[in-house]
Amino acid sequence: VVTYSIANTPGMTYDWSLPAGVVDDDIFGLNIGKNFIEVRFDSGFVSGVINVIARNGCGASEVRSLMIRALPSALPGAITETPVDICPNRSFIYSIASMPENADSVIWSVPAGGTIVSGQGTTSITVTYDINAVSGFINAYSKNNCSESGVRKFTVNQPTCTPPPPFVKTASTSILPSL
């Protein structure tokens, strides 16, 4: 929710008009005539003009207008990979340095064979892989109430994970010193 306001003058009421894609958030009508308006933006909103007119018993003011634009969510920065556990329980952390400009969250996806364990929506995720070969992309895009960014990709090529053979107990002899 975003609030727009104009200086309040006693005895005045205010009529607001909104561009397409902008919706008054006052669903109960409690703020009608007030010197402010709280609005939400549809996901496809790009730009438009908010207008307000002040009224009293003597007449109406000139229209005051404000051009507004959606703040696009910026493309996430480069993705880095940090191994946590290699084999057989393969686990990696994938990160971007910071939340992209104008973004509320980062949405991640991983190739088949990978599972996001934690971090969806943040700047860092932990991913586990099964023991089979995995190839594809870690994808990340940012979003806010108005837009989604392009997709940042990180190439994944994990070979088949062959766990080490189990330990085999072998016979051992010990030599005790003679007394």
Side-chain angles (χ1 to χ4, degrees):
V1 175
V2 177
T3 302
Y4 294 95
S5 65
I6 192 164
N8 191 25
T9 302
M12 300 295 264
T13 60
Y14 300 89
D15 295 330
W16 297 86
S17 64
L18 303 171
V22 180
V23 179
D24 186 351
D25 194 53
D26 182 21
I27 59 174
F28 299 112
L30 300 175
N31 297 328
I32 293 174
K34 303 273 178 135
N35 70 313
F36 65 91
I37 190 167
E38 294 174 325
V39 300
R40 291 185 185 273
F41 297 89
D42 292 341
S43 62
F45 176 76
V46 176
S47 67
V49 176
I50 292 181
N51 296 306
V52 63
I53 297 173
R55 297 184 190 279
N56 66 14
C58 298
S61 71
E62 295 289 321
V63 174
R64 299 284 307 263
S65 300
L66 177 67
M67 173 63 117
I68 57 174
R69 291 182 178 80
L71 296 174
S73 189
L75 180 69
I79 299 171
T80 60
E81 175 186 68
T82 305
V84 176
D85 194 0
I86 303 301
C87 195
N89 304 314
R90 297 190 289 181
S91 179
F92 293 81
I93 295 173
Y94 296 94
S95 302
I96 57 174
S98 62
M99 186 64 71
E101 188 173 342
N102 301 322
D104 295 327
S105 61
V106 176
I107 306 304
W108 298 85
S109 62
V110 298
T115 301
I116 298 174
V117 175
S118 64
Q120 185 64 272
T122 70
T123 58
S124 180
I125 58 171
T126 300
V127 176
T128 58
Y129 294 106
D130 60 31
I131 63 171
N132 299 311
V134 176
S135 63
F137 298 99
I138 300 291
N139 296 313
Y141 68 90
S142 68
K143 65 184 283 185
N144 62 26
N145 291 339
C146 299
S147 67
E148 294 178 354
S149 73
V151 176
R152 176 73 66 185
K153 294 180 178 275
F154 181 88
T155 303
V156 172
N157 284 312
Q158 293 291 330
T160 300
C161 180
T162 307
F167 291 105
V168 177
K169 185 175 182 180
T170 59
S172 64
T173 58
S174 61
I175 302 174
L176 298 175
S178 57
L179 298 173

